[in-house]
Amino acid sequence: MDKPMTRINIQFTRFSAFYSPLISTISGGFLNEQGLDPVHSVAAPGKSAIEALVDGSAHVVQSALSNGLASRERKEIPPALHFAQINEKDGFFLTAREPDPGFSWKSLLGKKIIVDHGVQPLVMFQYACHRSGIDFSQLEVIDAGNSAEMDAAFRNGLGDYIHQQGPAPQQLEHDAVGHVVASVGEAIGACGFSSLAATEDWLRSDMAKAFMRAYRNTRAYINETPAAEIAAAEASFFPNIDREVLVHTIATYQKLGCWSAHVEITPSAYEVTLDVFEHGGRIKTRHPYEAVCAPPPA
């Protein structure tokens, strides 16, 4: 008889093609190969997936180092540790309403920019401006609401530029609404952007080891497999995104280097994240790596 599958509950804080390394553990069958039956969910708007770890409704979640840093800033021990990276670069793009082949970040001066005001996207955008030699406080920045509201506002004529995570910018291009002109990830370089988090107890479990075997296999797949093949496997997760847009988005992230082959959150990437949040005034202490991160389960 076949061994019964063990259910594993996975929750995403945001759900987009940017998180393909985790999505593909499901769509590529890698968790099934390890005897795990994945059930995924997305955190309610305004809630962190970390809360699902606390209440026991999730075993592992897509999160960000900023959650652990925020706990440490409050002098609290984080309820979860970040044990593997999903994306080692920011995955947001700037899209212009008109073609701008000569774009530089200084092109933003005097223009209206719809910027994602989620904590991490915002501080990363501010740091990218800093790295690119412009003062964020001098920009005319618009808070147009959540991701869907931002997209609708730009489509309805608000703003000269918009700051979004893929595949939204690629869909705008496909619909001839805008033109992608810059990558925040390119402006900042490698950093601890998004990560996998779990409780310390779970990280010691056999399920965690099985998950990690699946995830390591997925990291190889996500880098070695043509984008069209990955997109075909993921298509059912993105019913409202054109297939060619999904393929283009995945290929863009592969080329950008968001999904490096190693799974560890490196100390050097962690230090850049500290630089970003320190610059944005979100942390006053450069908390040690071990206070937020853990090694992947063996």
Side-chain angles (χ1 to χ4, degrees):
M1 290 180 61
D2 291 336
K3 187 177 178 180
M5 303 282 276
T6 300
R7 173 168 166 159
I8 182 170
N9 297 319
I10 299 169
Q11 188 166 107
F12 294 76
T13 298
R14 288 191 182 216
F15 195 84
S16 79
F18 185 45
Y19 306 107
S20 286
L22 182 54
I23 296 168
S24 289
T25 63
I26 304 169
S27 63
F30 296 101
L31 289 168
N32 291 155
E33 289 174 0
Q34 299 298 327
L36 299 175
D37 179 23
V39 176
H40 80 280
S41 60
V42 181
K47 292 188 70 175
S48 166
I50 296 292
E51 295 178 42
L53 296 177
V54 174
D55 67 24
S57 59
H59 296 104
V60 61
V61 301
Q62 171 261 313
S63 185
L65 299 179
S66 56
N67 280 284
L69 294 173
S71 293
R72 290 294 179 182
E73 284 292 298
R74 296 191 299 267
K75 312 296 185 188
E76 299 170 0
I77 297 175
L81 289 170
H82 299 259
F83 65 92
Q85 52 131 337
I86 301 177
N87 297 291
E88 204 172 43
K89 284 186 178 177
D90 185 298
F92 281 72
F93 301 89
L94 273 172
T95 304
R97 188 168 298 284
E98 302 297 334
D100 192 357
F103 177 84
S104 76
W105 283 73
K106 289 183 172 60
S107 302
L108 299 178
L109 294 168
K111 303 295 185 180
K112 296 179 179 178
I113 312 131
I114 300 175
V115 174
D116 191 309
H117 276 61
V119 172
Q120 179 155 295
L122 179 59
V123 297
M124 289 278 174
F125 181 81
Q126 291 169 335
Y127 193 69
C129 290
H130 168 68
R131 290 272 304 225
S132 302
I134 61 173
D135 184 346
F136 175 81
S137 68
Q138 300 301 308
L139 299 179
E140 187 172 350
V141 170
I142 300 168
D143 181 356
N146 63 31
S147 300
E149 291 165 341
M150 288 170 57
D151 194 78
F154 190 76
R155 289 174 181 272
N156 288 329
L158 181 65
D160 302 298
Y161 295 90
I162 186 170
H163 165 239
Q164 294 171 297
Q165 189 181 86
Q170 290 77 19
Q171 189 68 53
L172 286 178
E173 279 196 325
H174 179 269
D175 297 340
V177 177
H179 308 266
V180 176
V181 293
S183 156
V184 178
E186 283 185 346
I188 296 175
C191 66
F193 190 83
S194 52
S195 51
L196 294 170
T199 65
E200 287 189 82
D201 284 346
W202 185 83
L203 289 171
R204 290 190 288 267
S205 70
D206 289 339
M207 181 191 284
K209 294 171 185 174
F211 173 86
M212 206 63 221
R213 289 193 295 271
Y215 191 62
R216 288 184 186 278
N217 291 338
T218 309
R219 295 296 295 201
Y221 159 85
I222 207 77
N223 283 293
E224 297 168 1
T225 305
E229 187 175 331
I230 298 169
E234 288 187 2
S236 63
F237 291 87
F238 300 102
N240 298 320
I241 300 295
D242 289 278
R243 179 70 65 86
E244 64 186 90
V245 170
L246 187 57
V247 172
H248 178 44
T249 303
I250 291 169
T252 299
Y253 283 133
Q254 286 177 322
K255 184 178 179 181
L256 186 58
C258 292
W259 306 329
S260 53
H262 65 269
V263 300
E264 296 80 9
I265 301 165
T266 66
S268 60
Y270 177 78
E271 289 295 321
V272 175
T273 301
L274 294 183
D275 293 341
V276 170
F277 280 83
E278 193 172 46
H279 174 266
R282 302 285 178 162
I283 60 171
K284 294 183 174 63
T285 302
R286 293 183 70 89
H287 303 281
Y289 177 90
E290 296 76 13
V292 175
C293 302

